[in-house]
Amino acid sequence: MDTLETRELRYFVAVAEELHFGRAAERLGMAQPPLSRAIQQLERRLGVCLLERNRRGVRLTGAGEVLLQEGRAALDATTAAARRTRRAGGADSPGGPRNRLVLAVKAAAAHELLQKLLDAYAAEPDAAEIEVLPCGFCEQEELLRDGRADVALMHTPFNSLAAFDSEELLTEGQIAILPAGHPLAARKTLSLADVSDVPDLPLARWPRHGTYPPGPGPEIRDQTQLAQLIALGRTMAVFPDSARAWLWSEHTAVPLTDAPPVITHIAWPAHSRSLALAGLIRTATRL
């Protein structure tokens, strides 16, 4: 048996993520007995044990770990197909809406580059409508995978380009953004060691995949919150140099001499065959 149903994958992923049949059933909006039977039937069809059940709870086997990873990717792919198909729907019919591309960008990152790209592409004949989708730290990857975005501006070394096609657009240094009145703000340059452990000014923490890294710094949800906390002298942050565009008068930017360069890429799903997307990428590489 080499095929799996989307319903089976949804059931298994819910159980594998919750590691509890009752919580998974509640999440799926169904009763627990049919969910248990469905997982048992899936194991029989595949001929492998996916879950180990005992008095202490449920845990994944090696085969279960593989199916969880592959199942998430498959569910993302089907969701992406539906979302991108709906966006394309009607574009080929008389009087239908203009083709539309969703471009995911990290809020306030590479603002000047983004504006140049949008202006240059809008001047192209038959340009698609571009919807700019601002997102948080490293969210572009998930938005591309599940179809909420068609293309993204991504920044290495922070973003992973695995499974995406990409083109390099911009290379820049990094800066520490500090409260203007802090002693470090008077320095002409700083090192990563200088900003990594400042007791009265801990580095802000951004969520990745829904969780925050450990540390004493405040948990940040959006750029406005970060800007205010820096101005109040509660935290600092490290950003690409282009972040100077959103600094307040209460902020100071100091170059980091030993921080790795940040490279901005335009990235898209490797399997994409969208002519509108190809046109946007051609425009981006000419900037």
Side-chain angles (χ1 to χ4, degrees), residues 145-241:
R145 281 195 299 268
D146 69 13
R148 283 177 287 172
D150 302 293
V151 59
L153 293 184
M154 297 170 70
H155 314 278
T156 57
F158 307 113
N159 294 121
S160 170
L161 298 173
F164 302 122
D165 285 339
S166 65
E167 292 283 351
E168 293 185 12
L169 301 182
L170 173 69
T171 300
E172 57 185 321
Q174 296 194 61
I175 55 175
I177 303 176
L178 305 153
H182 194 275
L184 288 177
R187 301 265 297 271
K188 290 185 177 181
T189 61
L190 291 167
S191 69
L192 288 173
D194 291 330
V195 301
S196 63
D197 187 18
V198 182
D200 64 331
L201 207 62
L203 281 164
R205 292 179 294 142
W206 294 87
R208 182 153 191 175
H209 306 305
T211 61
Y212 287 89
E219 296 180 350
I220 301 299
R221 295 180 296 277
D222 58 55
Q223 178 197 327
T224 301
Q225 181 192 40
L226 173 64
Q228 184 173 35
L229 288 175
I230 294 175
L232 291 171
R234 302 302 178 90
T235 190
M236 65 175 160
V238 174
F239 267 80
D241 190 75

Side-chain angles (χ1 to χ4, degrees), residues 34-211:
L35 175 60
S36 298
R37 289 195 295 271
I39 298 300
Q40 290 169 355
Q41 182 182 17
L42 176 61
E43 289 177 315
R44 287 195 297 270
R45 291 177 61 207
L46 290 173
V48 297
C49 177
L50 300 171
L51 300 164
E52 290 185 358
R53 309 155 178 87
N54 54 46
R55 294 178 182 177
R56 290 173 293 182
V58 178
R59 77 176 188 89
L60 290 169
T61 64
E65 292 279 2
V66 170
L67 185 58
L68 175 58
Q69 181 179 349
E70 298 288 345
R72 283 171 172 161
L75 291 174
D76 281 347
T78 58
T79 301
R83 284 173 170 158
R84 292 190 175 113
T85 299
R86 281 196 295 268
R87 278 202 292 276
D92 296 327
S93 61
R98 189 157 57 115
N99 200 359
R100 179 165 63 97
L101 294 172
V102 177
L103 171 62
V105 299
K106 185 180 183 300
H111 175 76
E112 184 178 351
L113 174 66
L114 174 61
Q115 190 62 65
K116 287 180 179 178
L117 173 59
L118 294 176
D119 290 345
Y121 182 65
E124 294 291 325
D126 300 322
E129 176 187 354
I130 301 295
E131 177 185 338
V132 177
L133 179 60
C135 60
F137 183 73
C138 290
E139 289 183 347
Q140 302 100 307
E141 303 161 39
E142 181 180 351
L143 296 174
L144 278 183
R145 281 195 299 268
D146 69 13
R148 283 177 287 172
D150 302 293
V151 59
L153 293 184
M154 297 170 70
H155 314 278
T156 57
F158 307 113
N159 294 121
S160 170
L161 298 173
F164 302 122
D165 285 339
S166 65
E167 292 283 351
E168 293 185 12
L169 301 182
L170 173 69
T171 300
E172 57 185 321
Q174 296 194 61
I175 55 175
I177 303 176
L178 305 153
H182 194 275
L184 288 177
R187 301 265 297 271
K188 290 185 177 181
T189 61
L190 291 167
S191 69
L192 288 173
D194 291 330
V195 301
S196 63
D197 187 18
V198 182
D200 64 331
L201 207 62
L203 281 164
R205 292 179 294 142
W206 294 87
R208 182 153 191 175
H209 306 305
T211 61

